[in-house]
Amino acid sequence: MKGDYQDLVDEISALLGAPATLENRDFRLIAFGAHDSDDDLAMDPVRTRSILTRQSTADVRSWFEAFGIARATGPVRIPAAPDAGVFRGRICLPVRYRGIVQGYVWLLDHEPGKPGPEPAALDAAMEVAQRIGVLLAEEAKAGADLSREFLAVLTAGRGWQQDMAVAALRAALGPGGDGLHAAVCVTPWPGEAPASVPGAAAVCVVPRRGGAEPGGAAGPGAGTGAGAGPGREAAGDPALAVLLRLRSTDALAPALAAVTRLLPRTAQATGPGGKGATGQATGEKASGGKVSGGKASGGSAGAAATTATATARGVTAGVADPVRGLADLPAAWEQAVAAARAAAAQPRFGPVAQWSTIGPYRMLATLAADPVDDPAARTLLAPTHRELARTAEVFLDCAGQAGRAAAALGIHRQTLYYRLARVEQLTGLDLDEGEDRLLLHMALKAARLA
């Protein structure tokens, strides 16, 4: 299908007499025409970065989308903006299928003093863009059609059943099955899977499995301030599973941006959000340009809104480490589920958490697949001792440093000592002993996942 896109892009380039590039709706490069001009303004920083990195930054995307390209049904002319790294004007041909934008064809507008494309040539180019839209829609549908095979891999038991499920998915994906992928878990996910997810090889909804009902206790200090969890167990809710294609192991930003857009979003949401993929995706600047502030700032504001709303609704996402081929996909899915659970337990991870960044929760999420009921911590974790549990957790998070813990809790050091003595009385543990500290710390963190 890659060759089909290239042929169609070359056809548009020939019709309009200008090099064309094709990007999907997430501004990821799919194909581009040959460039043989001596005009230095033709290869401006934005165009150069798009071709070299095969993607554009979130700020660049927001800047171009401000011209209404996502709603347009015909060619859109965008003026040059040297301060933004756009040295030559652009002509954007929206690529649509049944009214839904699938991507964009970009061309450099005519040089000053020279005539631009004739209306008839633009009409012919739009017809080619419609053919591209059909291909992009079919490719997205193909990924959705693999939901049964994908679900079988994620739910099959270990052993020959899982091996057969992986083999079936590999056969369905064809050569693409041997490529680089990342597994993603978004939970809770109500309803059916989306019709298409940009960059996804397969999408499915994984039914609810055993776990606590939504709305239960969210661990130490729930609802009492910093560190309060949203009160649901990610592993127990229906989840959206996405198998994202990757180009390289160190180019996760497009995948993380795609995941962020799956989270709930409302225009009224406000707030700084967390440290997840949103900050990475919106914090970039156009290479060599200054696409920031003004219209471009809408991208960052929108991403912050997504983060705030997702956190408020208790929806989180986990992204596993990239895997090549499908043999390790079941393990990658477990990583994604664990990362989503960690994001629900610790808002500081943001609504989108990567497995590689969740620290001790990589182990705790595996150990605490079921609610932990350690006798030493049972009394402390009761709702009546919530403030004591939070005090103990902060103290252990601060490596047992009383001064830091008291400051973090906003209490006097003597108050801290009194509370820690009460913790020792309730648990029977000695907080001067390393193993007792380890046991209590693990119990408190595991409670967040339950």
Side-chain angles (χ1 to χ4, degrees), residues 22-435:
L22 170 64
E23 296 178 333
N24 67 12
R25 63 181 131 197
D26 293 312
F27 284 57
R28 294 188 68 181
L29 185 67
I30 297 174
F32 61 93
H35 175 83
D36 56 5
S37 171
D38 293 329
D39 182 6
D40 291 338
L41 296 181
M43 291 302 294
D44 56 38
V46 170
R47 179 177 170 84
T48 299
R49 188 189 190 285
S50 173
I51 292 176
L52 292 180
T53 67
R54 308 192 72 82
Q55 64 185 356
S56 296
T57 67
D59 287 336
V60 168
R61 169 180 175 162
S62 298
W63 189 81
F64 280 118
E65 286 180 337
F67 291 92
I69 60 174
R71 301 182 301 276
T73 57
V76 177
R77 273 197 160 88
I78 299 173
D83 288 345
V86 181
F87 296 163
R88 281 276 296 278
R90 301 286 201 273
I91 298 177
C92 176
L93 308 181
V95 176
R96 309 184 80 88
Y97 177 71
R98 294 184 177 179
I100 299 175
V101 66
Q102 304 290 330
Y104 306 98
V105 174
W106 298 94
L107 301 106
L108 297 174
D109 207 348
H110 62 88
E111 299 178 32
K114 294 185 179 181
E118 295 291 333
L122 285 172
D123 290 342
M126 281 300 300
E127 292 180 3
V128 180
Q130 290 178 2
R131 286 150 55 193
I132 295 175
V134 173
L135 289 178
L136 286 172
E138 288 178 348
E139 184 178 10
K141 185 174 182 296
D145 287 345
L146 296 177
S147 60
R148 184 175 61 181
E149 290 84 354
F150 187 30
L151 178 61
V153 172
L154 304 185
T155 57
R158 298 182 184 274
W160 65 270
Q161 290 179 322
Q162 193 172 83
D163 293 341
M164 289 185 64
V166 169
L169 179 61
R170 182 183 294 111
L173 286 172
D178 295 325
L180 199 63
H181 297 90
V184 174
C185 171
V186 182
T187 187
W189 186 266
E192 299 179 352
S196 65
V197 176
V203 181
C204 71
V205 173
V206 180
R208 176 185 175 87
R209 59 184 182 179
E213 290 293 331
T224 61
R232 69 175 68 236
E233 177 178 293
D237 289 306
L240 178 72
V242 183
L243 184 62
L244 286 174
R245 304 184 191 91
L246 299 179
R247 296 190 180 277
S248 66
T249 56
D250 56 355
L252 280 174
L256 296 174
V259 174
T260 302
R261 283 190 289 276
L262 290 171
L263 301 178
R265 177 174 182 169
T266 62
Q268 292 77 22
T270 57
K275 296 181 181 179
T278 309
Q280 298 174 19
T282 60
E284 300 172 354
K285 304 298 179 198
S287 175
K290 300 177 181 178
V291 182
S292 60
K295 294 178 180 177
S297 65
S300 298
T306 301
T307 303
T309 310
T311 303
R313 296 186 183 182
V315 180
T316 58
V319 182
D321 284 345
V323 294
R324 187 170 297 279
L326 302 176
D328 294 327
L329 180 55
W333 170 245
E334 293 302 323
Q335 289 184 3
V337 171
R341 295 179 68 198
Q346 283 284 14
R348 65 185 174 86
F349 291 134
V352 180
Q354 294 175 248
W355 165 259
S356 60
T357 66
I358 61 175
Y361 285 94
R362 290 197 293 268
M363 180 178 295
L364 288 169
T366 302
L367 297 176
D370 297 314
V372 175
D373 183 26
D374 188 89
R378 187 180 301 151
T379 304
L380 180 64
L381 290 172
T384 53
H385 298 302
R386 186 168 292 169
E387 192 61 35
L388 287 178
R390 179 169 176 264
T391 298
E393 184 178 19
V394 172
F395 173 72
L396 294 169
D397 286 345
C398 292
Q401 298 180 30
R404 284 178 55 202
L409 291 165
I411 59 177
H412 193 275
R413 189 177 297 202
Q414 288 302 121
T415 303
L416 173 67
Y417 290 144
Y418 170 76
R419 290 185 183 179
L420 293 178
R422 288 281 295 129
V423 168
E424 290 183 326
Q425 290 173 3
L426 290 171
T427 62
L429 300 175
D430 183 353
L431 294 183
D432 287 331
E433 293 294 330
E435 288 191 357

